[in-house]
Amino acid sequence: MMAANLTPVEEAIAHILAKAPVIKESRLLPITESLGQVLAQDYRVPADVPPADNSAVDGYALNSGDFTHGQVLPVSDRIPAGSAPAPLKPGTAARIFTGSEVPAGADTVVMQERVEVTESGILINSDIKAAQNIRRRGQDLSEGDLALGKGTRIRPQEMGLLASMGVAEVAAVRKLRVAILSTGDELVEPGTPLKPGQIYNTNRFTLLGLLAEAGCEVVMCETLKDNRQLTGETLERAAGQADLIITSGGVSVGEEDHVRAVLEESGSLSLWRLAIKPGKPLAFGSINGTPVLGLPGNPAAVLVTFLIVGMPYIRTCQGRLQIHPTGQQAYAAFNIASPSVRREFVRARTESVNGQTRISIYPNQSSGVLSSACWAGGLAVVPEQTTVAEGDLLTYYPFTELLS
């Protein structure tokens, strides 16, 4: 049975995604600035890549029908990369280099290691066959094919593929504008000496890094004091600047947890309290029509809920092709004897033991222990109402996939 008033993780994510507006605006960026951006349009192949048959090796181009064991072939031409070759003279070979266009009349390339150079030509010391060592025209991309679809996030390999098609400027989705609001009178900035009762504002910097990795633009980053009126005024100001407001803390049931109260009084609150561990006090609503994702206050809970709940929302807004991570299956190298009513995302890492991928977890899974995430390589999933015995098969999400 699910604990009363706790929303299951899938239900919460589905609810939030249904309210995620897809960004329609786009901008043209130089390809050199496109890394991490999301394509705003399909890119089809304007011409075959490569545009002509070319050599895969340094060697000699010839017609396989002209080859006879023990017979010297005269060399009639030299074809450097970047030049347009003349047709091959019958009964001869042409010196050719990697990437050079194969001349008309040649149907094979022999690598130079298989060739003995003599005064009168070349002597080939191996068998040959037609089409060897030739990269065919259109082998990578054929004219008219879909190369990259709208919603693709650009990695270095996509940059290279776009460049191979001659694309100099990339149509990219406008970045999602996000406001970060940390809550609590106790928060101070790093570099400031701590007074009694104070702590450093950890969550601001975790969220700044996460949003940068997610390809978002932070338009506002402030700390909210524990005051309801000021909290409401700051949320309204953020709503005028951002597409999404992310808060940390202030969404639980304490007297100084004002974010949830302001949403209930002045905006809307459509989701609160998730069946997730860490991170039960998570809120989703809006203020003046701008979505608000209220994360918990504990540092590890902020990281986990952002990755599991916040990232699918951001990907949806960006129009990304893949919204949810796929994860991988691996075997537990740990035990959990007490089942929880909440789905637990434990900080973990994997290692190969006798050819089997096994999951180890950090010994302290407290929601306040952020060092566990620095030790970990990802999150392992312990389903609701489930115990874990060593050797059980679990789902594991690497951090790289959760953020990609």
Side-chain angles (χ1 to χ4, degrees):
M1 294 289 293
M2 184 61 64
N5 301 321
L6 291 184
T7 304
V9 174
E10 285 94 350
E11 184 179 324
I13 293 174
H15 172 82
I16 289 173
L17 297 192
K19 297 178 179 294
V22 178
I23 299 170
K24 301 298 184 184
E25 303 95 319
S26 64
R27 55 198 177 137
L28 277 178
L29 294 174
I31 191 172
T32 52
E33 299 175 14
S34 66
L35 184 65
Q37 304 297 311
V38 178
L39 291 180
Q41 66 180 51
D42 290 341
Y43 278 85
R44 295 195 173 275
V45 182
D48 290 341
V49 178
D53 292 354
N54 68 84
S55 178
V57 297
D58 291 345
Y60 294 85
L62 60 140
N63 188 296
S64 56
D66 292 333
F67 167 70
T68 302
H69 277 289
Q71 181 176 317
V72 172
L73 273 178
V75 177
S76 61
D77 200 0
R78 183 178 185 276
I79 308 170
S83 65
L88 182 68
K89 294 180 180 178
T92 71
R95 180 71 165 119
I96 198 167
F97 301 91
T98 303
S100 297
E101 185 175 333
V102 176
D107 67 357
T108 191
V109 173
V110 180
M111 65 175 61
Q112 61 189 19
E113 291 84 355
R114 302 284 189 267
V115 170
E116 178 185 342
V117 179
T118 70
E119 290 185 359
S120 55
I122 59 169
L123 187 63
I124 299 171
N125 299 317
S126 67
D127 291 330
I128 68 170
K129 58 182 179 180
Q132 69 182 19
N133 300 318
I134 293 178
R135 296 185 291 220
R136 291 299 186 190
R137 173 178 176 170
Q139 172 181 291
D140 190 2
L141 299 167
S142 296
E143 183 177 355
D145 285 353
L146 178 64
L148 295 170
K150 178 181 178 181
T152 299
R153 191 179 189 205
I154 302 173
R155 301 169 296 173
Q157 51 267 52
E158 279 79 26
M159 291 178 69
L161 190 63
L162 289 164
S164 77
M165 298 188 299
V167 176
E169 290 187 316
V170 178
V173 174
R174 172 183 62 78
K175 286 189 175 184
L176 186 74
R177 296 185 288 253
V178 182
I180 299 173
L181 301 179
S182 310
T183 68
D185 289 339
E186 74 278 14
L187 299 178
V188 296
E189 294 304 299
T192 304
L194 289 177
K195 297 177 181 179
Q198 293 182 331
I199 59 173
Y200 290 121
N201 188 347
T202 302
N203 295 334
R204 166 183 287 188
F205 297 95
T206 300
L207 288 169
L208 283 170
L210 289 167
L211 289 165
E213 289 274 9
C216 299
E217 177 187 0
V218 175
V219 295
M220 182 177 174
C221 189
E222 296 186 10
T223 300
L224 295 174
K225 295 300 181 182
D226 290 328
N227 178 285
R228 187 160 301 186
Q229 180 178 343
L230 290 177
T231 296
E233 291 173 354
T234 306
L235 282 168
E236 289 184 357
R237 182 159 49 88
Q241 302 178 38
D243 303 306
L244 171 66
I245 302 168
I246 297 180
T247 66
S248 61
V251 293
S252 193
V253 293
E255 293 179 3
E256 300 298 337
D257 291 322
H258 299 298
V259 172
R260 180 176 62 86
V262 168
L263 292 178
E264 288 179 319
E265 294 169 0
S266 304
S268 68
L269 181 68
S270 59
L271 181 69
W272 182 55
R273 289 168 55 89
L274 264 62
I276 189 172
K277 183 179 181 181
K280 179 174 66 176
L282 184 145
F284 183 78
S286 65
I287 189 84
N288 292 346
T290 298
V292 179
L293 179 62
L295 303 180
N298 284 316
V302 165
L303 175 70
V304 170
T305 52
F306 179 93
L307 293 174
I308 300 303
V309 180
M311 274 305 302
Y313 179 93
I314 289 170
R315 292 190 192 101
T316 300
C317 292
Q318 293 171 332
R320 299 269 290 274
L321 293 176
Q322 185 170 343
I323 305 301
H324 303 285
T326 56
Q328 62 189 65
Q329 298 296 298
Y331 296 93
F334 60 93
N335 298 285
I336 294 180
S338 300
S340 173
V341 297
R342 295 183 282 162
R343 182 173 306 175
E344 189 168 3
F345 293 85
V346 293
R347 279 82 79 198
R349 65 187 182 191
T350 59
E351 61 179 344
S352 180
V353 179
N354 297 324
Q356 185 182 78
T357 302
R358 296 176 64 82
I359 304 170
S360 300
I361 64 172
Y362 196 75
N364 188 341
Q365 291 289 325
S366 166
S367 60
V369 179
L370 190 59
S371 58
S372 61
C374 299
W375 171 92
L379 302 175
V381 184
V382 179
E384 305 88 334
Q385 307 289 0
T386 302
T387 59
V388 177
E390 188 170 344
D392 286 351
L393 199 60
L394 299 176
T395 299
Y396 173 79
Y397 296 108
F399 285 135
T400 50
E401 184 183 355
L402 289 168
L403 268 172
S404 67

